[in-house]
Amino acid sequence: MGSMKTIPFLSLEAAYAELQPEIEAAVLASMRTGWYVLGPEVEVFENDFASYCEASYCVGVANGLDALHLALRAMDVGTGDEVIVPSNTYIATWLAVSQCGAIPVPVEPDIATYNIDPKLIEAAITPRTKVILPVHLYGQPADLDPILAIAKKYNLKVLEDAAQAHGAHYKGKRIGGHGDVVAWSFYPGKNLGALGDGGAITTNNPEIADRIRVLRNYGSRVKYVNEVPGYNSRLDPVQAAVLSVKLKYLDEWNARRASIASRYAMALADAGFLQPAVPIWASPAWHLYVIRTKAREALQCHLAAAGIGSLIHYPIPPHLQLAYSGQCHKARDFPIAEVMAAEVISLPMGPQLSAEDQNQVISILGDFKP
């Protein structure tokens, strides 16, 4: 085993190296414009990303959390309002709600797909509910049609957290314009990742797009004229230049992820792990390849001993985080989220993962005896 090479969970260096000449030329060109906040680079990327997402508008912001927060603000979510969120997600989904003074109301996932279960949403709606906030977890689309139908029935808005779903399709249509607003993160490890933080929203609603444009820039559209109490949350033009280059390769890189996912699925079919379940209508972005096992700690040690990186997404569900101790949630309140937190493990996944390296990962997984 000692002679085996180390295989990282994700190699950002390899992703950079593949596009290095183009990325460096784009960054240099951006720096030479003398325009370092918003401006033409950001507008070009916003237009291209809106088109890619089959949405009318894109507004670039500083990061994925701000995308969620400003979207909620633009939909008038405030103190005392409630927003329905998945019980299992990265904590940013909940934090955005809390930043508005609103209350995240958790709903359990469908145990097969790990995405919010539409059948459980109606029971969580109260007169204070304003928004339903599904997450396309691990890059797999949530079941949007029933969610949108419930929102319509109760006159609620839908904000999609697509931080992991760049390029995913729901029923043949790209994620990016099903709900009222879609929030994106361009954190470096994402399918479409910047060389630093970045985020955006896409929407088909011109009024919401306009409100977010004003909110991201101190509440101002004309310098020194402030219409609302805004924020400073703007996509950096250098990052926009990087994202414009990478957007051209997103579909190709996602196709590589999909072939890696299908190789895992076939090779691990009888290995004793619970594999991802993909509904017939979903075409995931395969941001992560997540399996489940009751012997997770032993498996992670087994992989680490062979030099293979893995991660846990996520070890503590939001309702059990110290940050939410004030909401009086207890252990076993959301048992599906807690089972997932105890059993999920993410295997190496990324467009630069070679077949040789993946075969090594599969071989080591095959040797695992819990």
Side-chain angles (χ1 to χ4, degrees), residues 47 93 183 197 213 223 239 276 294 302 313 319 324 344 364:
N47 289 333
T93 315
D197 266 323
R213 241 179 241 114
K223 201 172 172 92
Q239 300 299 352
K294 289 191 177 355
H302 175 75
H313 297 90
H319 72 279
Y324 284 98
V344 295
I364 299 297

Side-chain angles (χ1 to χ4, degrees), residues 58-106:
C58 170
V59 183
V61 296
N63 53 65
L65 174 56
D66 283 1
L68 289 165
H69 175 222
L70 297 188
L72 290 167
R73 288 279 185 207
M75 294 187 287
D76 294 318
V77 173
T79 306
D81 291 334
E82 291 177 355
V83 175
I84 289 173
V85 295
S87 58
N88 60 302
T89 181
Y90 183 55
I91 199 166
T93 315
W94 287 42
L95 291 176
V97 176
S98 303
Q99 285 179 356
C100 296
I103 298 154
V105 176

Side-chain angles (χ1 to χ4, degrees), residues 70 73-74 211-219 228-231:
L70 297 188
R73 288 279 185 207
R211 292 184 81 172
I212 293 171
R213 241 179 241 114
V214 170
L215 282 167
R216 75 173 173 182
N217 190 41
Y218 297 99
V228 291
Y231 304 87

Side-chain angles (χ1 to χ4, degrees), residues 163-176:
Q164 302 180 347
H166 314 74
H169 288 76
Y170 175 72
K171 298 187 178 177
K173 183 174 185 287
R174 231 192 270 277
I175 293 295

